[in-house]
Amino acid sequence: MNSSVFSNNDKELINILAIESSCDETSASIISNGKILSNIIATQSVHQKYGGVVPELASRAHQQNVVPVVHQALSEANITKTMLSAVAFTQGPGLLGALLVGASFAKSLAYGLDIPLISVNHMQAHILAHFIDDPKPAFPFLCLTVSGGHTQIVKVTDYLEMEILGETQDDAVGEAFDKIAKVLGLPYPGGPAIDHMAQQGNPARFAFPDTVMPALDYSFSGIKTAFLNFLQREKSKDPDFVAQHLPDICASIQHKLIEMLLEKLRQASETTGIREIAIAGGVSANSALRKTLSERAETLRWKVYIPPLVYCTDNAAMIAMAAHYKYLKADFESLQASPDPRLHFGR
Ligand code: KG4
Ligand code: ZN
């Protein structure tokens, strides 16, 4: 490892290049002394016609995008490669082939420049996105992390100290949004499509059954099946059911999913006594979730933290933020490191 990193004096800037490639966004960001200077995101539109992410195509698109995205991140930040103090990458969780592209690129660059390599857990990074801008949550806080692959309630006691209090035992809530949208004939990604359609709908129009899960864990496979059964039943009575009621269907199922998320979050706050509450991950972009959480904050006397939209879905700025805190602890990765599609942290 390059020893110059340990001789940083106060005047030396910590410039880190971070790369995110866990799913279908190729992103690169530069962070300088904890401040984000650039955050370039190339969204892969190739998956749209398949109604979901095709892993092989994702890897290929990352391979094409990574150099231009990194180049743009550096030039927008006015930083040259030789000014970098470290290179960070998403180690997991995510798609193996997609992760490999970012990991290999970061390793080669760190090796070539003889600077430290930093590995970042994507789910921790979603939470640390809260430290990019003000207002920042105070420790300890609870974070509901909701994405396409995860649904977790996390107790955060320090930047890199996190404990999972509860999580889904099957599907993630983002997956439920995406699959429900698919059967309704809405485009991929389904979450934003349902969100948009629900804005004209009545959330109390259709009711769905409750799912009972122990402690603070979630399950979304039951509600998904209940929704499919509901749709088949209604379509057998009226083949035009979806076309006639699409906004109400979207608003009602979205309302149910949000209620499920927030009820366990309420229980987590009650059992831990923590009232600093944050949300993170792609589904935290949902307008009804953001609104309901703000309303709940008043009745439950919570202080809530809702990230700006650009930091909800996948981006490299959040990876850069996590990398900054790891750099401060000299928590570096070996050049033999490889991605871990199921990378986990504390439970
Ligand atoms: O965090 P993310 O960008 O990628 C993963 O790490 O999975 O999350 C993607 C998920 C998808 O399931 C997408 O449908 C969902 O976030 N999503 C939304 C909204 N925007 C993105 N779900 C509901 N409402 C939205 N506005
Ligand atoms: Zn994500």
mmCIF file of all heavy atoms in Angstrom, residues 4-25:
data_model
loop_
_atom_site.group_PDB
_atom_site.id
_atom_site.type_symbol
_atom_site.label_atom_id
_atom_site.label_comp_id
_atom_site.label_asym_id
_atom_site.label_seq_id
_atom_site.Cartn_x
_atom_site.Cartn_y
_atom_site.Cartn_z
ATOM 1 N N SER A 4 2.200 7.101 1.336
ATOM 2 C CA SER A 4 1.939 8.541 1.337
ATOM 3 C C SER A 4 0.580 8.875 1.941
ATOM 4 O O SER A 4 0.373 9.941 2.487
ATOM 5 C CB SER A 4 2.012 9.092 -0.082
ATOM 6 O OG SER A 4 0.944 8.570 -0.829
ATOM 7 N N VAL A 5 -0.359 7.907 1.861
ATOM 8 C CA VAL A 5 -1.685 8.165 2.387
ATOM 9 C C VAL A 5 -1.657 8.406 3.894
ATOM 10 O O VAL A 5 -2.437 9.176 4.432
ATOM 11 C CB VAL A 5 -2.643 7.010 2.033
ATOM 12 C CG1 VAL A 5 -2.265 5.751 2.759
ATOM 13 C CG2 VAL A 5 -4.059 7.367 2.368
ATOM 14 N N PHE A 6 -0.724 7.786 4.570
ATOM 15 C CA PHE A 6 -0.662 7.946 6.019
ATOM 16 C C PHE A 6 0.083 9.213 6.428
ATOM 17 O O PHE A 6 0.074 9.579 7.575
ATOM 18 C CB PHE A 6 -0.007 6.719 6.654
ATOM 19 C CG PHE A 6 -0.803 5.475 6.408
ATOM 20 C CD1 PHE A 6 -0.343 4.491 5.555
ATOM 21 C CD2 PHE A 6 -2.060 5.314 6.987
ATOM 22 C CE1 PHE A 6 -1.102 3.358 5.311
ATOM 23 C CE2 PHE A 6 -2.813 4.190 6.748
ATOM 24 C CZ PHE A 6 -2.335 3.208 5.907
ATOM 25 N N SER A 7 0.735 9.857 5.459
ATOM 26 C CA SER A 7 1.447 11.081 5.806
ATOM 27 C C SER A 7 0.646 12.316 5.389
ATOM 28 O O SER A 7 1.184 13.392 5.248
ATOM 29 C CB SER A 7 2.813 11.091 5.122
ATOM 30 O OG SER A 7 2.624 11.119 3.725
ATOM 31 N N ASN A 8 -0.673 12.140 5.188
ATOM 32 C CA ASN A 8 -1.526 13.279 4.839
ATOM 33 C C ASN A 8 -1.368 14.382 5.863
ATOM 34 O O ASN A 8 -1.580 14.174 7.042
ATOM 35 C CB ASN A 8 -3.010 12.841 4.899
ATOM 36 C CG ASN A 8 -3.534 12.608 3.517
ATOM 37 O OD1 ASN A 8 -3.028 13.200 2.587
ATOM 38 N ND2 ASN A 8 -4.534 11.763 3.411
ATOM 39 N N ASN A 9 -0.981 15.556 5.421
ATOM 40 C CA ASN A 9 -1.039 16.645 6.380
ATOM 41 C C ASN A 9 -2.368 17.382 6.183
ATOM 42 O O ASN A 9 -3.129 17.090 5.281
ATOM 43 C CB ASN A 9 0.179 17.571 6.257
ATOM 44 C CG ASN A 9 0.225 18.217 4.888
ATOM 45 O OD1 ASN A 9 -0.803 18.613 4.373
ATOM 46 N ND2 ASN A 9 1.412 18.290 4.307
ATOM 47 N N ASP A 10 -2.650 18.333 7.080
ATOM 48 C CA ASP A 10 -3.962 18.965 7.090
ATOM 49 C C ASP A 10 -4.303 19.640 5.775
ATOM 50 O O ASP A 10 -5.468 19.770 5.422
ATOM 51 C CB ASP A 10 -4.043 19.990 8.227
ATOM 52 C CG ASP A 10 -4.090 19.285 9.572
ATOM 53 O OD1 ASP A 10 -4.350 18.077 9.565
ATOM 54 O OD2 ASP A 10 -3.852 19.945 10.585
ATOM 55 N N LYS A 11 -3.271 20.084 5.074
ATOM 56 C CA LYS A 11 -3.531 20.859 3.855
ATOM 57 C C LYS A 11 -3.863 19.962 2.678
ATOM 58 O O LYS A 11 -4.448 20.392 1.697
ATOM 59 C CB LYS A 11 -2.311 21.722 3.527
ATOM 60 C CG LYS A 11 -2.169 22.900 4.498
ATOM 61 C CD LYS A 11 -1.054 23.832 4.034
ATOM 62 C CE LYS A 11 -0.315 24.383 5.244
ATOM 63 N NZ LYS A 11 1.052 23.919 5.347
ATOM 64 N N GLU A 12 -3.511 18.682 2.770
ATOM 65 C CA GLU A 12 -3.712 17.785 1.624
ATOM 66 C C GLU A 12 -5.185 17.424 1.480
ATOM 67 O O GLU A 12 -5.858 17.091 2.443
ATOM 68 C CB GLU A 12 -2.888 16.514 1.815
ATOM 69 C CG GLU A 12 -2.743 15.740 0.530
ATOM 70 C CD GLU A 12 -1.811 14.552 0.712
ATOM 71 O OE1 GLU A 12 -0.957 14.602 1.613
ATOM 72 O OE2 GLU A 12 -1.966 13.590 -0.021
ATOM 73 N N LEU A 13 -5.673 17.511 0.264
ATOM 74 C CA LEU A 13 -7.070 17.186 0.027
ATOM 75 C C LEU A 13 -7.247 15.683 -0.126
ATOM 76 O O LEU A 13 -6.400 15.016 -0.713
ATOM 77 C CB LEU A 13 -7.559 17.858 -1.258
ATOM 78 C CG LEU A 13 -7.812 19.362 -1.204
ATOM 79 C CD1 LEU A 13 -8.150 19.865 -2.598
ATOM 80 C CD2 LEU A 13 -8.949 19.673 -0.236
ATOM 81 N N ILE A 14 -8.344 15.165 0.408
ATOM 82 C CA ILE A 14 -8.656 13.749 0.189
ATOM 83 C C ILE A 14 -9.622 13.701 -0.998
ATOM 84 O O ILE A 14 -10.803 14.019 -0.858
ATOM 85 C CB ILE A 14 -9.310 13.110 1.431
ATOM 86 C CG1 ILE A 14 -8.469 13.328 2.679
ATOM 87 C CG2 ILE A 14 -9.572 11.622 1.188
ATOM 88 C CD1 ILE A 14 -9.190 12.957 3.970
ATOM 89 N N ASN A 15 -9.108 13.341 -2.157
ATOM 90 C CA ASN A 15 -9.939 13.250 -3.361
ATOM 91 C C ASN A 15 -10.190 11.775 -3.673
ATOM 92 O O ASN A 15 -9.245 11.022 -3.884
ATOM 93 C CB ASN A 15 -9.225 13.867 -4.568
ATOM 94 C CG ASN A 15 -8.985 15.355 -4.391
ATOM 95 O OD1 ASN A 15 -9.842 16.070 -3.865
ATOM 96 N ND2 ASN A 15 -7.830 15.827 -4.824
ATOM 97 N N ILE A 16 -11.440 11.372 -3.693
ATOM 98 C CA ILE A 16 -11.746 9.960 -3.975
ATOM 99 C C ILE A 16 -12.652 9.859 -5.193
ATOM 100 O O ILE A 16 -13.631 10.611 -5.324
ATOM 101 C CB ILE A 16 -12.430 9.287 -2.759
ATOM 102 C CG1 ILE A 16 -11.573 9.447 -1.494
ATOM 103 C CG2 ILE A 16 -12.707 7.808 -3.034
ATOM 104 C CD1 ILE A 16 -12.239 8.970 -0.212
ATOM 105 N N LEU A 17 -12.296 8.921 -6.083
ATOM 106 C CA LEU A 17 -13.183 8.582 -7.201
ATOM 107 C C LEU A 17 -13.979 7.354 -6.781
ATOM 108 O O LEU A 17 -13.390 6.351 -6.342
ATOM 109 C CB LEU A 17 -12.357 8.249 -8.457
ATOM 110 C CG LEU A 17 -13.090 7.489 -9.563
ATOM 111 C CD1 LEU A 17 -14.161 8.348 -10.234
ATOM 112 C CD2 LEU A 17 -12.106 6.972 -10.614
ATOM 113 N N ALA A 18 -15.304 7.421 -6.889
ATOM 114 C CA ALA A 18 -16.139 6.276 -6.525
ATOM 115 C C ALA A 18 -16.914 5.791 -7.742
ATOM 116 O O ALA A 18 -17.399 6.607 -8.543
ATOM 117 C CB ALA A 18 -17.104 6.657 -5.415
ATOM 118 N N ILE A 19 -17.033 4.469 -7.856
ATOM 119 C CA ILE A 19 -17.733 3.873 -9.005
ATOM 120 C C ILE A 19 -18.853 2.958 -8.504
ATOM 121 O O ILE A 19 -18.639 2.123 -7.624
ATOM 122 C CB ILE A 19 -16.745 3.068 -9.882
ATOM 123 C CG1 ILE A 19 -15.690 4.021 -10.457
ATOM 124 C CG2 ILE A 19 -17.474 2.350 -11.025
ATOM 125 C CD1 ILE A 19 -14.464 3.313 -10.958
ATOM 126 N N GLU A 20 -20.033 3.151 -9.072
ATOM 127 C CA GLU A 20 -21.197 2.312 -8.728
ATOM 128 C C GLU A 20 -21.638 1.563 -9.988
ATOM 129 O O GLU A 20 -21.865 2.172 -11.037
ATOM 130 C CB GLU A 20 -22.332 3.217 -8.190
ATOM 131 C CG GLU A 20 -23.758 2.706 -8.367
ATOM 132 C CD GLU A 20 -24.082 1.441 -7.581
ATOM 133 O OE1 GLU A 20 -23.480 1.192 -6.523
ATOM 134 O OE2 GLU A 20 -24.953 0.688 -8.061
ATOM 135 N N SER A 21 -21.743 0.233 -9.878
ATOM 136 C CA SER A 21 -22.178 -0.554 -11.043
ATOM 137 C C SER A 21 -22.938 -1.803 -10.586
ATOM 138 O O SER A 21 -22.801 -2.860 -11.193
ATOM 139 C CB SER A 21 -20.965 -0.970 -11.890
ATOM 140 O OG SER A 21 -20.210 -1.959 -11.214
ATOM 141 N N SER A 22 -23.759 -1.684 -9.521
ATOM 142 C CA SER A 22 -24.363 -2.897 -8.964
ATOM 143 C C SER A 22 -25.562 -3.411 -9.745
ATOM 144 O O SER A 22 -25.878 -4.592 -9.697
ATOM 145 C CB SER A 22 -24.781 -2.655 -7.514
ATOM 146 O OG SER A 22 -25.806 -1.694 -7.468
ATOM 147 N N CYS A 23 -26.231 -2.510 -10.486
ATOM 148 C CA CYS A 23 -27.438 -2.958 -11.206
ATOM 149 C C CYS A 23 -27.466 -2.339 -12.605
ATOM 150 O O CYS A 23 -26.655 -2.721 -13.444
ATOM 151 C CB CYS A 23 -28.669 -2.603 -10.370
ATOM 152 S SG CYS A 23 -30.170 -3.378 -10.965
ATOM 153 N N ASP A 24 -28.359 -1.408 -12.855
ATOM 154 C CA ASP A 24 -28.465 -0.883 -14.230
ATOM 155 C C ASP A 24 -28.109 0.593 -14.333
ATOM 156 O O ASP A 24 -28.522 1.249 -15.287
ATOM 157 C CB ASP A 24 -29.865 -1.153 -14.801
ATOM 158 C CG ASP A 24 -30.963 -0.516 -13.970
ATOM 159 O OD1 ASP A 24 -30.691 -0.120 -12.825
ATOM 160 O OD2 ASP A 24 -32.091 -0.412 -14.467
ATOM 161 N N GLU A 25 -27.355 1.104 -13.368
ATOM 162 C CA GLU A 25 -26.878 2.474 -13.449
ATOM 163 C C GLU A 25 -25.358 2.443 -13.399
ATOM 164 O O GLU A 25 -24.802 1.884 -12.456
ATOM 165 C CB GLU A 25 -27.389 3.287 -12.253
ATOM 166 C CG GLU A 25 -28.323 4.396 -12.612
ATOM 167 C CD GLU A 25 -29.782 3.972 -12.585
ATOM 168 O OE1 GLU A 25 -30.157 3.228 -11.669
ATOM 169 O OE2 GLU A 25 -30.507 4.365 -13.490
#
